[in-house]
Amino acid sequence: AVLPEPAASVPAVSVTEIRRYLREQGLPFHDGHSCLHAPSLFAPGPAAPPFTLFIDKTTGGFLCTATLAEGTWQDLQAAVELRHRGLPPPSPREEEEEEEDEGRRAREAARRIWERALPLGELLDEEESRATKAAFGIAQLADATLKRFGVRYLRAAGALVFPWFAPRDGALRGLKLVGATEETFPRFDAYHNLFGLPLIGRRDTEVVLTGRELDALALHQATGVPSLALPRGATCLPPALLPYLEQFKRVTLWLGDDLRSWEAAKLFARKLSVKRCSLVRPGDLQPRPLEALNRGLNLTKILRAALPAGHKSIVSFRQLREEVFGELANSEQVAGVKWARFPELNKLLKGHRKGELTVFTGPTGSGKTTFISEYALDLCTQGVCTLWGSFEINNIRLAKIMLTQFAARRLEDQLELYDEWADRFEELPLYFMTFHGQQNIKTVLDTMKHAVYMYDITHVVVDNLQFMMGHEQLSADR
């Protein structure tokens, strides 16, 4: 995905400005955990449900859960102005209509798959049902649990099917197929399914967020606690989902059984408000929920032992003791995400770790960009969300280089394979900034911060520093 053009990039807005604007416009609101709650501008009539408009405190982006209208802070301001003039809210822009067409096609594909899939309890052969459950490691999950969450099995693909039902009207909006590979309808960025959301009651005040759909099933079956699965596990928590999590006073993040899941849980807790979040620390006696169920562990006890995400300013070793043990017991994971194709680089850098800066230098034409695109692609294919700032060569040329490296073949000689490889490449958590040539450093940093919040970026590539800053700025303040 490409981030907006610099001229059209999302202007920063503070929560203070948002509050001031709402007061000036006479719109009532109250503070939530990560959003402001206001009455909807989009639900017609006096019978419209109250306070269904959620405004993100960090970006100003909004979602109306009553009508599913969403947009930027500027879109919301435009809707307010039109309302004052007695006019209806703005109609979708042309590109949004194109996206809607794509969404309709994805929903149609999802519907066809859904109709062909069968509930596991309805497979004609009981032996097949048992074998299928064993293959997915879900022998301990009751048919009633699978039925409650609407899980089906697509025999032709040998895959479990997890539905995405709209919270408003229960319509099928998409689905996820999990077999030898994982596939979603719609694809990648548009798949915002909080799996299990239709089962949440309005009065529920606590929830557990998991990294996989089967973990949500295991947790709910073992504890009865409302459980949801994030659409892409520990990779990303899209801000569009935050409004649906506003009702909960306590959120426990139990994303997986490795340190990457632990790091992601800490990152997501900052979006959700650390005051209400608790984290399940990965460990041998605290594996991911499905494994815990299969091993006969007490999941309720594990949840009770979750650590509060909000840290005090001063801590004792007693509070750090488990963290230190985790670092010692998982020394390989602490070293970071290893490069699959560059073992020598792993010896030098140990792996990719957040908060570290690596500088590659060399003369013009020595292959820095070619190597760094391979290096970034290696991490990206392992689920590391990556942001590219290519100031020297344009994004089309860079994407062509990366796609060729990803496919490991000369696609110009095999154009009939282009769509197949482009579809796979599109699934990577990879984003490009559209800056080119010398730029104002503050504008670039603001764009990076925005990308980190929106897409949970953990790896930023800048190519190259001179082009980004300009020679005069380099000499003034390195």
Side-chain angles (χ1 to χ4, degrees):
V2 177
L3 296 191
E5 289 286 348
S9 62
V10 182
V13 60
S14 70
V15 69
T16 306
E17 290 173 272
I18 296 170
R19 286 193 184 106
R20 187 187 304 129
Y21 179 82
L22 295 175
R23 285 192 194 104
E24 285 169 358
Q25 300 300 327
L27 289 169
F29 65 90
H30 61 250
D31 251 312
H33 301 284
S34 48
C35 301
L36 298 176
H37 306 188
S40 176
L41 304 172
F42 305 92
F51 292 91
T52 57
L53 184 68
F54 295 86
I55 305 165
D56 192 300
K57 291 183 188 179
T58 304
T59 65
F62 72 89
L63 170 72
C64 169
T65 53
T67 62
L68 299 185
E70 58 181 271
T72 65
W73 173 237
Q74 289 68 39
D75 294 333
L76 184 62
Q77 289 175 305
V80 171
E81 300 302 323
L82 287 169
R83 186 193 187 201
H84 284 326
R85 292 187 220 153
L87 297 169
S91 58
R93 293 188 294 270
E94 200 173 306
E95 60 267 29
E96 288 173 345
E97 287 169 1
E98 284 176 22
E99 284 172 20
E100 184 53 34
D101 283 343
E102 199 172 310
R104 269 195 292 270
R105 286 195 294 274
R107 283 196 293 274
E108 182 56 31
R111 187 188 60 76
R112 287 197 299 270
I113 292 170
W114 184 245
E115 286 171 356
R116 285 164 48 211
L118 288 170
L120 274 166
E122 290 179 20
L123 291 179
L124 296 174
D125 185 351
E126 199 176 311
E127 182 58 40
E128 183 189 9
S129 180
R130 267 202 305 272
T132 303
K133 279 185 159 187
F136 286 97
I138 55 172
Q140 298 300 317
L141 289 180
D143 286 344
T145 305
L146 293 162
K147 187 176 181 180
R148 180 171 166 75
F149 280 83
V151 181
R152 293 186 179 183
Y153 179 64
L154 185 63
R155 189 185 274 124
L160 292 178
V161 183
F162 300 96
W164 173 13
F165 294 120
R168 190 168 46 117
D169 55 11
L172 186 73
R173 291 189 67 185
L175 48 79
K176 180 186 280 190
L177 288 177
V178 176
T181 58
E182 204 171 273
E183 191 176 2
T184 64
F185 298 86
R187 290 207 315 238
F188 192 48
D189 279 352
Y191 186 76
H192 289 162
N193 179 20
L194 262 180
F195 179 74
L197 191 61
L199 301 179
I200 299 291
R202 285 189 179 178
R203 294 186 180 177
D204 287 329
T205 57
E206 67 173 288
V207 71
V208 184
L209 293 183
T210 66
R212 302 185 203 178
E213 290 77 9
L214 292 173
D215 286 332
L217 270 72
L219 252 170
H220 182 76
Q221 178 174 302
T223 66
V225 175
S227 307
L228 300 172
L230 296 177
R232 283 179 276 155
T235 309
C236 181
L237 170 57
L241 297 180
L242 298 180
Y244 297 110
L245 299 169
E246 282 289 291
Q247 77 179 71
F248 303 108
K249 294 191 173 96
R250 177 181 162 90
V251 179
T252 304
L253 291 137
W254 189 350
L255 297 184
D257 50 12
D258 59 1
L259 280 186
R260 278 178 69 189
S261 301
W262 173 246
E263 289 298 324
K266 289 191 279 188
L267 184 71
F268 297 166
R270 290 204 287 276
K271 273 189 186 179
L272 292 161
S273 172
V274 291
K275 291 176 187 171
R276 62 172 174 155
C277 289
S278 300
L279 317 176
V280 174
R281 170 90 204 190
D284 185 50
L285 293 175
Q286 297 190 162
R288 49 183 282 247
L290 180 62
E291 192 184 331
L293 179 72
N294 289 340
R295 282 167 53 182
L297 299 174
N298 187 329
L299 279 76
T300 304
K301 190 176 174 184
I302 294 173
L303 281 181
R304 284 203 199 107
L307 305 167
H311 290 288
K312 299 285 184 281
S313 300
I314 299 171
V315 293
S316 65
F317 178 70
R318 177 178 292 178
Q319 290 164 283
L320 298 174
R321 181 172 175 148
E322 286 303 308
E323 298 257 1
V324 173
F325 178 78
E327 298 248 329
L328 292 170
N330 299 283
S331 56
E332 277 298 297
Q333 290 180 25
V334 174
V337 181
K338 297 279 197 288
W339 286 274
R341 288 179 283 178
F342 303 109
E344 293 302 312
L345 197 62
N346 289 325
K347 291 179 189 174
L348 290 168
L349 299 178
K350 309 301 180 197
H352 167 261
R353 291 176 288 199
K354 284 192 294 180
E356 290 191 354
L357 172 70
T358 305
V359 180
F360 290 90
T361 65
T364 303
S366 60
K368 295 188 298 294
T369 300
T370 306
F371 170 68
I372 291 169
S373 72
E374 277 275 13
Y375 153 110
L377 203 51
D378 189 314
L379 296 172
C380 206
T381 54
Q382 297 183 63
V384 175
C385 295
T386 301
L387 175 67
W388 257 94
S390 178
F391 298 86
E392 190 172 358
I393 67 171
N394 69 43
N395 285 327
I396 294 171
R397 192 170 149 220
L398 173 63
K400 188 185 94 172
I401 292 168
M402 295 186 83
L403 178 60
T404 302
Q405 291 171 329
F406 180 66
R409 63 188 71 216
R410 283 173 57 83
L411 289 172
E412 54 264 63
D413 299 334
Q414 297 171 287
L415 289 177
E416 69 279 2
L417 298 177
Y418 176 77
D419 285 330
E420 179 192 336
W421 283 103
D423 284 347
R424 291 196 212 174
F425 191 68
E426 214 173 90
E427 295 289 332
L428 297 178
L430 177 64
Y431 303 87
F432 302 92
M433 288 187 279
T434 55
F435 299 115
H436 195 61
Q438 294 179 15
Q439 298 295 332
N440 177 303
I441 187 73
K442 184 182 182 304
T443 309
V444 176
L445 291 174
D446 284 347
T447 303
M448 287 179 182
K449 282 180 192 168
H450 179 76
V452 166
Y453 179 80
M454 294 297 291
Y455 309 109
D456 298 302
I457 299 294
T458 53
H459 184 211
V460 180
V461 180
V462 173
D463 180 28
N464 68 40
L465 207 56
Q466 277 168 266
F467 274 83
M468 183 176 98
M469 298 175 71
H471 298 281
E472 69 290 342
Q473 286 170 298
L474 267 180
S475 58
D477 182 1
R478 295 180 82 82

